[in-house]
Protein backbone atom coordinates (compact mmCIF):
# COMPACT_ATOMS: atom_id res chain seq x y z
CA UNK A 1 0.00 0.00 0.00
CA UNK A 2 0.97 3.64 -0.44
CA UNK A 3 2.67 5.04 2.71
CA UNK A 4 0.29 7.39 4.53
CA UNK A 5 2.72 10.31 4.27
CA UNK A 6 2.96 9.86 0.50
CA UNK A 7 -0.81 9.59 0.25
CA UNK A 8 -1.44 12.77 2.23
CA UNK A 9 1.21 14.69 0.30
CA UNK A 10 -0.28 13.54 -2.99
CA UNK A 11 -3.81 14.44 -1.84
CA UNK A 12 -2.65 17.97 -0.99
CA UNK A 13 -0.87 18.33 -4.34
CA UNK A 14 -3.94 17.01 -6.18
CA UNK A 15 -6.23 19.37 -4.26
CA UNK A 16 -4.10 22.39 -5.17
CA UNK A 17 -3.97 21.31 -8.80
CA UNK A 18 -7.70 20.61 -9.08
CA UNK A 19 -8.62 23.85 -7.28
CA UNK A 20 -7.10 25.83 -10.16
CA UNK A 21 -9.69 25.86 -12.99
CA UNK A 22 -8.37 23.90 -15.97
CA UNK A 23 -9.70 21.93 -18.97
CA UNK A 24 -11.86 19.65 -16.84
CA UNK A 25 -13.51 22.57 -15.03
CA UNK A 26 -14.12 24.47 -18.29
CA UNK A 27 -15.70 21.35 -19.79
CA UNK A 28 -17.99 20.87 -16.79
CA UNK A 29 -19.03 24.53 -16.75
CA UNK A 30 -19.70 24.49 -20.48
CA UNK A 31 -21.85 21.36 -20.19
CA UNK A 32 -23.70 22.71 -17.16
CA UNK A 33 -24.50 25.94 -18.99
CA UNK A 34 -25.76 23.96 -21.97
CA UNK A 35 -27.58 21.13 -20.15
CA UNK A 36 -28.31 22.33 -16.62
CA UNK A 37 -27.31 20.88 -13.25
CA UNK A 38 -28.28 17.29 -14.01
CA UNK A 39 -26.41 17.33 -17.32
CA UNK A 40 -23.40 18.92 -15.64
CA UNK A 41 -23.27 16.30 -12.87
CA UNK A 42 -23.67 13.47 -15.38
CA UNK A 43 -20.83 14.98 -17.40
CA UNK A 44 -18.68 15.04 -14.25
CA UNK A 45 -19.43 11.37 -13.64
CA UNK A 46 -18.76 10.37 -17.25
CA UNK A 47 -15.53 12.38 -17.29
CA UNK A 48 -14.39 10.65 -14.08
CA UNK A 49 -15.12 7.20 -15.54
CA UNK A 50 -13.05 8.12 -18.59
CA UNK A 51 -10.16 9.22 -16.40
CA UNK A 52 -10.54 6.00 -14.42
CA UNK A 53 -9.75 4.17 -17.66
CA UNK A 54 -6.59 6.27 -17.99
CA UNK A 55 -5.56 5.45 -14.43
CA UNK A 56 -6.06 1.74 -15.07
CA UNK A 57 -3.91 2.08 -18.18
CA UNK A 58 -1.16 3.84 -16.24
CA UNK A 59 -1.27 1.24 -13.47
CA UNK A 60 -0.88 -1.53 -16.05
CA UNK A 61 1.90 0.28 -17.93
CA UNK A 62 -0.15 1.19 -21.00
CA UNK A 63 -0.15 4.90 -20.14
CA UNK A 64 3.64 5.07 -20.26
CA UNK A 65 3.70 3.57 -23.75
CA UNK A 66 1.04 6.02 -24.93
CA UNK A 67 2.79 9.04 -23.44
CA UNK A 68 6.14 8.06 -25.01
CA UNK A 69 4.69 7.54 -28.49
CA UNK A 70 4.32 10.83 -30.35
CA UNK A 71 2.01 9.29 -32.94
CA UNK A 72 -0.34 7.55 -30.49
CA UNK A 73 -0.37 10.52 -28.14
CA UNK A 74 -1.19 12.88 -31.02
CA UNK A 75 -4.03 10.63 -32.19
CA UNK A 76 -5.59 10.65 -28.72
CA UNK A 77 -5.03 14.38 -28.35
CA UNK A 78 -6.63 15.37 -31.64
CA UNK A 79 -9.50 12.91 -31.19
CA UNK A 80 -10.33 14.46 -27.82
CA UNK A 81 -9.97 18.00 -29.15
CA UNK A 82 -12.18 17.25 -32.15
CA UNK A 83 -14.86 15.74 -29.93
CA UNK A 84 -14.90 18.78 -27.66
CA UNK A 85 -15.29 21.04 -30.70
CA UNK A 86 -18.12 18.80 -31.95
CA UNK A 87 -19.92 19.06 -28.60
CA UNK A 88 -19.48 22.85 -28.65
CA UNK A 89 -20.94 23.10 -32.16
CA UNK A 90 -23.88 20.93 -31.13
CA UNK A 91 -24.55 23.15 -28.11
CA UNK A 92 -24.60 26.25 -30.35
CA UNK A 93 -26.76 24.57 -32.99
CA UNK A 94 -29.44 23.61 -30.47
CA UNK A 95 -29.39 26.81 -28.44
CA UNK A 96 -32.62 27.98 -30.05
CA UNK A 97 -34.64 25.05 -28.70
CA UNK A 98 -34.33 26.55 -25.26
CA UNK A 99 -35.90 24.99 -22.17
CA UNK A 100 -38.74 26.48 -20.19
CA UNK A 101 -38.66 27.76 -16.64
CA UNK A 102 -40.37 24.59 -15.43
CA UNK A 103 -37.95 22.36 -17.30
CA UNK A 104 -34.62 24.22 -17.60
CA UNK A 105 -32.73 21.18 -18.94
CA UNK A 106 -33.02 20.17 -22.61
CA UNK A 107 -34.19 16.59 -23.29
CA UNK A 108 -30.90 14.70 -23.53
CA UNK A 109 -30.66 11.05 -22.50
CA UNK A 110 -28.64 10.12 -19.42
CA UNK A 111 -26.68 7.48 -21.33
CA UNK A 112 -25.72 9.97 -24.03
CA UNK A 113 -24.47 12.61 -21.58
CA UNK A 114 -22.48 9.98 -19.66
CA UNK A 115 -21.00 8.65 -22.90
CA UNK A 116 -19.97 12.11 -24.06
CA UNK A 117 -18.34 12.87 -20.70
CA UNK A 118 -16.58 9.50 -20.78
CA UNK A 119 -15.07 10.12 -24.22
CA UNK A 120 -13.78 13.54 -23.15
CA UNK A 121 -12.27 12.12 -19.95
CA UNK A 122 -10.69 9.12 -21.66
CA UNK A 123 -9.08 11.23 -24.40
CA UNK A 124 -7.88 14.15 -22.25
CA UNK A 125 -4.14 14.34 -23.06
CA UNK A 126 -3.30 16.57 -20.10
CA UNK A 127 -4.61 14.06 -17.55
CA UNK A 128 -2.66 11.29 -19.30
CA UNK A 129 0.55 13.27 -18.87
CA UNK A 130 -0.32 14.07 -15.24
CA UNK A 131 -1.01 10.45 -14.32
CA UNK A 132 2.12 9.19 -16.09
CA UNK A 133 4.46 11.88 -14.76
CA UNK A 134 3.15 12.55 -11.25
CA UNK A 135 1.62 9.36 -9.83
CA UNK A 136 4.87 7.31 -9.92
CA UNK A 137 6.64 9.99 -7.84
CA UNK A 138 4.49 9.11 -4.82
CA UNK A 139 4.90 5.33 -5.07
CA UNK A 140 7.01 3.42 -2.54
CA UNK A 141 8.79 0.98 -4.87
CA UNK A 142 10.33 -0.93 -1.96
CA UNK A 143 6.83 -1.86 -0.76
CA UNK A 144 5.95 -3.64 -4.02
CA UNK A 145 2.41 -3.92 -5.49
CA UNK A 146 3.15 -0.97 -7.79
CA UNK A 147 -0.07 -1.23 -9.85
CA UNK A 148 -2.13 -1.22 -6.64
CA UNK A 149 -0.30 1.87 -5.34
CA UNK A 150 -0.80 3.69 -8.65
CA UNK A 151 -4.47 2.76 -8.63
CA UNK A 152 -4.89 4.01 -5.06
CA UNK A 153 -3.30 7.36 -5.88
CA UNK A 154 -5.46 7.66 -8.95
CA UNK A 155 -8.58 6.92 -6.91
CA UNK A 156 -7.70 9.69 -4.45
CA UNK A 157 -7.27 12.11 -7.35
CA UNK A 158 -10.63 11.11 -8.85
CA UNK A 159 -12.44 11.47 -5.52
CA UNK A 160 -11.15 15.01 -5.05
CA UNK A 161 -11.91 15.87 -8.68
CA UNK A 162 -15.46 14.51 -8.38
CA UNK A 163 -16.21 16.73 -5.39
CA UNK A 164 -14.62 19.83 -6.95
CA UNK A 165 -16.10 19.39 -10.43
CA UNK A 166 -19.54 18.64 -8.97
CA UNK A 167 -19.42 21.94 -7.08
CA UNK A 168 -18.65 23.77 -10.34
CA UNK A 169 -21.47 21.91 -12.11
CA UNK A 170 -23.99 22.81 -9.41
CA UNK A 171 -22.92 26.46 -9.41
CA UNK A 172 -23.09 26.80 -13.21
CA UNK A 173 -26.32 24.79 -13.41
CA UNK A 174 -27.95 26.96 -10.73
CA UNK A 175 -26.98 30.14 -12.57
CA UNK A 176 -28.47 28.62 -15.71
CA UNK A 177 -31.88 28.29 -14.02
CA UNK A 178 -31.98 32.06 -13.61
CA UNK A 179 -31.10 32.56 -17.27
CA UNK A 180 -33.82 30.06 -18.22
CA UNK A 181 -36.48 32.63 -17.36
CA UNK A 182 -35.80 34.27 -20.71
CA UNK A 183 -35.50 32.40 -24.05
CA UNK A 184 -33.00 34.98 -25.26
CA UNK A 185 -30.87 34.60 -22.14
CA UNK A 186 -30.82 30.80 -22.36
CA UNK A 187 -29.93 30.94 -26.07
CA UNK A 188 -27.03 33.24 -25.25
CA UNK A 189 -26.01 30.96 -22.41
CA UNK A 190 -26.09 27.91 -24.69
CA UNK A 191 -23.88 29.75 -27.15
CA UNK A 192 -21.48 30.67 -24.35
CA UNK A 193 -21.19 27.05 -23.22
CA UNK A 194 -20.63 25.93 -26.82
CA UNK A 195 -17.95 28.55 -27.43
CA UNK A 196 -16.17 27.51 -24.23
CA UNK A 197 -16.02 23.88 -25.38
CA UNK A 198 -14.87 24.86 -28.88
CA UNK A 199 -12.17 27.07 -27.37
CA UNK A 200 -11.09 24.29 -25.04
CA UNK A 201 -10.89 21.82 -27.93
CA UNK A 202 -8.86 24.27 -29.99
CA UNK A 203 -6.49 24.91 -27.07
CA UNK A 204 -5.85 21.20 -26.56
CA UNK A 205 -5.28 20.68 -30.28
CA UNK A 206 -2.75 23.52 -30.49
CA UNK A 207 -0.69 22.61 -27.42
CA UNK A 208 2.56 20.73 -27.86
CA UNK A 209 2.60 16.94 -28.21
CA UNK A 210 3.61 16.39 -24.60
CA UNK A 211 1.94 19.39 -22.92
Amino acid sequence: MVPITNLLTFALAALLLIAVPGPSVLFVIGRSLALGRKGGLLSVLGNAIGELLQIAGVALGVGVVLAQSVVLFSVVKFAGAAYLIYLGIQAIRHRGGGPTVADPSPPTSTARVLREGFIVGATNPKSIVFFVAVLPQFVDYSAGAIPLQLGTLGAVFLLIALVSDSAWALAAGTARRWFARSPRRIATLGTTGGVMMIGLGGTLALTGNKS
Side-chain angles (χ1 to χ4, degrees):
M1 294 296 292
V2 183
I4 187 63
T5 53
N6 291 28
L7 195 62
L8 292 176
T9 303
F10 174 77
L12 178 59
L15 179 62
L16 293 176
L17 177 68
I18 293 170
V20 178
S24 180
V25 170
L26 293 178
F27 168 69
V28 168
I29 292 177
R31 295 295 275 171
S32 299
L33 293 179
L35 303 176
R37 288 188 296 186
K38 179 180 177 181
L41 290 173
L42 287 173
S43 296
V44 169
L45 180 59
N47 187 68
I49 296 173
E51 290 187 340
L52 182 61
L53 182 64
Q54 291 186 353
I55 293 171
V58 170
L60 296 175
V62 178
V64 177
V65 175
L66 178 61
Q68 291 179 347
S69 171
V70 174
V71 175
L72 290 177
F73 189 88
S74 296
V75 168
V76 172
K77 181 182 73 170
F78 286 117
Y83 195 69
L84 278 171
I85 293 173
Y86 165 77
L87 292 179
I89 292 174
Q90 289 295 100
I92 294 174
R93 282 184 57 198
H94 298 294
R95 70 190 185 281
T100 63
V101 176
D103 181 19
S105 297
T108 304
S109 72
T110 297
R112 178 180 175 181
V113 177
L114 281 173
R115 182 176 66 252
E116 291 172 345
F118 170 81
I119 294 174
V120 172
T123 58
N124 184 350
K126 292 186 179 295
S127 60
I128 293 175
V129 172
F130 173 81
F131 293 142
V132 171
V134 177
L135 262 62
Q137 298 183 34
F138 293 87
V139 169
D140 182 1
Y141 290 92
S142 63
I146 307 303
L148 178 59
Q149 292 191 58
L150 289 170
T152 301
L153 292 169
V156 170
F157 180 91
L158 279 186
L159 180 60
I160 297 174
L162 272 172
V163 174
S164 176
D165 290 349
S166 294
W168 282 107
L170 289 173
T174 299
R176 184 183 190 280
R177 287 181 175 271
W178 179 83
F179 280 97
R181 297 174 185 173
S182 166
R184 179 175 296 180
R185 290 176 188 168
I186 200 62
T188 301
L189 200 59
T191 301
T192 301
V195 169
M196 287 180 65
M197 283 184 280
I198 291 174
L200 176 56
T203 300
L204 291 178
L206 294 176
T207 53
N209 285 335
K210 297 301 177 64
S211 62

